[in-house]
Amino acid sequence: MKYVWHFTESVLLSLLHICLAEQTNYAPYFFDNGPRSTNGNMALLSLSEDIPVGSYIYTLNGSDPEGYPVTYGLTFEPGSKCYFSVDLVHGNVTLIEELDREKQDEIEAVVSISDGLNKVSERVRVLVTDANDESPEFLNTPYIISVPESTPPGSSIFQLEAIDRDTGSGGSITYLIQNSHSAKFTVDRHTGVFRIKTGMSLDFEKSRTHFVTVLAKDGGGKLRGKYQVFTSTTTVTINVEDVQDSPPVFVGTPYYGYVYEDNTLGSEILTVVAFDGDRGNPNTIQYSLLDGSDGAFDINNVTGVVTVIKNPNELKKEVYELKIQVSELTPGGEVAGHALTTVTIRVVDLNNHPPTFYGENGPQNKFELTMYEHPPEGEILRGLKITVNDSDQGANAKFNLRLVGPGGMFRVVPQTVLNEAQVTIIVENSAGIDYEKFHLLTFKLLAIEVNTPEKFSSTADITIHLLDINDNVPKFSSEYYVARIPENSPGGSNVVAATATDLDSGLWGEIKYSIYGAGSDPFLIHPSTGIIYTQPWATLDAEETSKYNFYVKAEDTEGKYSLAEVFVTVLDINDHCPEFNENIQERTMVIGTPVKIEATDQDAEEPNNIVNYSIMQADPDNVFEIDQSTGEIKLKSYIRSLDVIHNITRNQNCKWSVVVQAKDRGSPSFSTTAVVKIDVTEETLLHKGPVAAFLMQSKDNPMKALGVLAGVMAIMVVITILISTAMFWRNKKSNKVVPLRRIIRRRRTDHPPRMIRTEWLKFKKSTGSADKFSMHDMEGGPQNENGNNNSQCILFPPNAPCPPPPPRLIPRASKTEWRVPTISGSLTPRIIDQQMKEKVPSASAALVSELKQMLEKKNASSSISFY
């Protein structure tokens, strides 16, 4: 309230002083105290981006030459964010919006000072300096690398990349590996190059996957007055690829077997099991017994089953140590490696102990393991350290092992144990070990004696926790999608949603959609939702393309994908009006024969492109009728001669203008109207001679008559050239001397005179429109230019003249071009003005007249050569 009163007092004093002052008032001004000053005009002010909102940052300071009190102002460009506010009286500037150098490193503002009459404004720039407020960010995660186990130590296998948007030391990045003392890998602190440690090697048989956590740390810097260092971490997954480099390995060693005195010949004592050490590409395994059997035992070279081949009563030793060899055979039958083991067989006959399970720390009946889903078939669950023992001897210590639980996933080795064995659980059905079906698998391991009356047994609980891997392909809800969209849909319209699901969890379950194919050009797909929509620029046209076919692809983060086919049908709408043919304006109708008009509609589908015809106007209206489907215009049934027409109308020349309409069946319906000029005549007028009939038939098409006349003249030119050429060669070959004046020899009386008869140019007289094309005899006509009339003695046919251009018909300026608007369009036929028709002769009459004049001139010039 104090500031308001002070401001009001200053304003009133300023107004009073202005009213009393007679001299010139000078404008106020800012003090310029330099870039490091905290008061003045805010020139070259720098602010750190971590200054808290509400902080005082500057004081605007200035003065008025007359000593008037001044007020201050601070504004920003329209549309920009207002970062500061100012005290109008004291000029204190306060930060009201949070600064962020990474988004805006320079702020423009306008500061002003006013004494009440004069106001001075200055544009200033405030620089925003950096603070260490950004953390490093890894690019292109997740990092999953496949490395052969034979890769030499010290080799570079990958390069990490991280960025920090800060500047200076806060933007520099250093890479570190957490728990690096136990890892087989190292990373370059500055470049992020990931390497195998010197002296370390990878072993597929020991560890197939390594997980290394890498830390990215910036160089540190101040943030709100404190020194801050930001870090971020990522996990690098290294999958080790198997290489053929390991010999066979026995499973479940050491092996112990027992022979009881009641065993029969061929009884199974125990089974030894071995696998190729290279699990990724194993070879065939073969067993053999080398030593220690004394002829009492044998082994199956394929299954590893050790059997007794002597009667137990004949066995001389209490303990037998058999040396068994397993060999690894290549596909070519060569031995690639081998391993040896010792099987200890005791001869006992007591049964007073049940089988017992042992862990690493003694007897144990619960075992747990964590593993990834879908392990390779034949893989051993190495995390389970289980031993089973029966302290009896001989047949009393023989028992079977089996798993009770979800069937078919695992099998236990050995299945038959004598006395003691290392229990091995092997993957039998990899597909069944599915994280999407079971997160947790529970089994019971059962050991039960085989050949004892007591059937002693024991159980152990086995719990397996499954971890997810990317083992599922995105699957669409349908193999194909059918969509329909109207052709007038605007760009960006939704077409169909193609949805797919991925049963995997986390990043492996994220799906990205895309489309491709020849028919996908007008469409786009949202990469996350799978909604297909039209391109913003796309214009669909059912008349041009009514069906589109393309594919949609759903892909997870590792590139696994599936496809679905999309069929899009563009639905036709009624967007075209019927259009008449251009040659419908003038028609000649013979009584009894209809005149057909035709209009076409460019729409793609029915009923939008089906056209109906109707007569909108005719004077009189009781003369014509039209077939609404075919467009045939005909006279009413009672009109059979021109006399009937003359009786019902005043139009004696039998010409009518009929307004016809072509209308489609779409919704909404479009139509077009046109005026058809119909000249009605009788069929008897066409039988007054071939020329008259021809002219009558071509009356509606004058270009047809013009073409026929042009063809006749062309034939005459060809004939003239041929005769002239023959006469030239005849004269050239003659040896007679030609006198200066040509001598006319008298012809024999029996030889007919050589002359061209002109009767072929005479047309029969006819009434009606054909009269203007007839030609009369030249006798009594005007004289030729040489003063003689020897037109009947033509030696050669005259050269046919070139056809004259058709007369140029220019309608009167006062008469506008004929146009009939309709609901959806209009037709502008080419109609010749009726008055111009009366003044300008037809093209056919002009041709006949010029041909007549050329023949007269040619006959006159030919007659001179005879004298």
Side-chain angles (χ1 to χ4, degrees), residues 22-56:
E22 296 179 355
Q23 67 273 16
T24 304
N25 189 299
Y26 294 94
Y29 60 90
F30 280 106
F31 295 134
D32 188 0
N33 295 327
R36 297 186 179 180
S37 174
T38 60
N39 66 82
N41 59 353
M42 285 184 72
L44 302 177
L45 176 63
S46 298
L47 298 176
S48 178
E49 66 175 333
D50 60 347
I51 293 179
V53 175
S55 300
Y56 158 79

Side-chain angles (χ1 to χ4, degrees), residues 13 17 153 170-171 184 205 207 335 420 566 635 642 671 687:
L13 290 175
H17 192 275
K184 291 178 178 280
E205 288 70 31
S207 180
V335 177
E420 186 180 72
V566 181
L635 296 171
L642 291 177
S671 64
H687 296 286

Side-chain angles (χ1 to χ4, degrees), residues 56-105:
Y56 158 79
I57 60 172
Y58 198 84
T59 300
L60 295 177
N61 194 5
S63 178
D64 183 79
E66 288 82 7
Y68 295 150
V70 295
T71 58
Y72 302 94
L74 190 150
T75 60
F76 295 87
E77 290 291 336
S80 61
K81 185 182 289 187
C82 298
Y83 286 91
F84 313 110
S85 65
V86 64
D87 186 331
L88 300 180
V89 178
H90 297 92
N92 294 330
V93 180
T94 305
L95 179 66
I96 61 174
E97 288 286 344
E98 185 176 2
L99 302 178
D100 190 348
R101 185 201 64 83
E102 285 71 27
K103 296 181 179 179
Q104 186 174 356
D105 59 357

Side-chain angles (χ1 to χ4, degrees), residues 137-403:
E137 181 181 353
F138 283 95
L139 302 179
N140 303 321
T141 57
Y143 298 123
I144 301 175
I145 312 167
S146 296
V147 182
E149 65 175 338
S150 59
T151 304
S155 298
S156 172
I157 59 176
F158 189 69
Q159 183 173 9
L160 303 170
E161 185 178 1
I163 60 171
D164 191 323
R165 294 189 296 173
D166 290 321
T167 59
S169 63
S172 63
I173 296 177
T174 302
Y175 301 91
L176 300 170
I177 292 180
Q178 292 184 346
N179 301 324
S180 59
H181 61 279
S182 61
K184 291 178 178 280
F185 307 91
T186 183
V187 65
D188 189 277
R189 294 174 57 87
H190 304 292
T191 64
V193 174
F194 204 75
R195 302 176 183 275
I196 301 175
K197 273 187 180 180
T198 303
M200 294 289 185
S201 60
L202 304 179
D203 192 346
F204 177 85
E205 288 70 31
K206 293 182 179 179
S207 180
R208 298 184 181 184
T209 304
H210 298 272
F211 300 94
V212 181
T213 302
V214 180
L215 179 142
K217 179 178 70 173
D218 65 19
K222 287 189 176 181
L223 178 65
R224 297 182 180 88
K226 296 182 180 180
Y227 186 83
Q228 295 286 345
V229 177
F230 290 96
T231 62
S232 62
T233 59
T234 188
T235 300
V236 181
T237 303
I238 300 97
N239 295 321
V240 182
E241 296 179 348
D242 190 26
V243 176
Q244 192 67 241
D245 61 345
S246 299
V249 177
F250 281 98
V251 178
T253 58
Y255 292 108
Y256 296 95
Y258 298 89
V259 178
Y260 295 90
E261 58 184 5
D262 58 349
N263 283 129
T264 61
L265 293 178
S267 298
E268 177 182 340
I269 306 302
L270 79 162
T271 302
V272 296
V273 179
F275 293 96
D276 186 353
D278 302 301
R279 299 306 177 91
N281 186 21
N283 287 325
T284 303
I285 298 299
Q286 182 174 319
Y287 303 92
S288 59
L289 182 59
L290 298 182
D291 191 18
S293 68
D294 294 338
F297 304 93
D298 194 9
I299 188 171
N300 188 304
N301 60 355
V302 176
T303 63
V305 175
V306 178
T307 58
V308 58
I309 57 175
K310 276 188 178 182
N311 193 316
N313 296 326
E314 298 177 3
L315 299 179
K316 304 297 182 182
K317 296 181 180 179
E318 185 178 352
V319 176
Y320 290 86
E321 292 186 353
L322 309 180
K323 291 184 178 180
I324 298 176
Q325 175 179 283
V326 60
S327 300
E328 177 183 349
L329 302 180
T330 64
E334 299 178 358
V335 177
H338 62 273
L340 297 174
T341 189
T342 300
V343 176
T344 301
I345 299 178
R346 296 179 179 272
V347 180
V348 292
D349 57 354
L350 298 176
N351 182 32
N352 56 359
H353 295 88
T356 306
F357 293 100
Y358 295 87
E360 295 180 338
N361 299 319
Q364 184 176 338
N365 59 2
K366 291 185 179 181
F367 301 87
E368 290 189 4
L369 174 68
T370 299
M371 60 180 291
Y372 283 97
E373 65 174 337
H374 301 305
E377 292 185 1
E379 181 175 359
I380 298 172
L381 304 187
R382 299 182 182 276
L384 295 176
K385 306 293 185 181
I386 305 174
T387 302
V388 63
N389 176 266
D390 190 326
S391 300
D392 294 324
Q393 296 182 356
N396 296 331
K398 184 178 180 180
F399 55 92
N400 290 336
L401 292 176
R402 66 172 182 264
L403 286 173

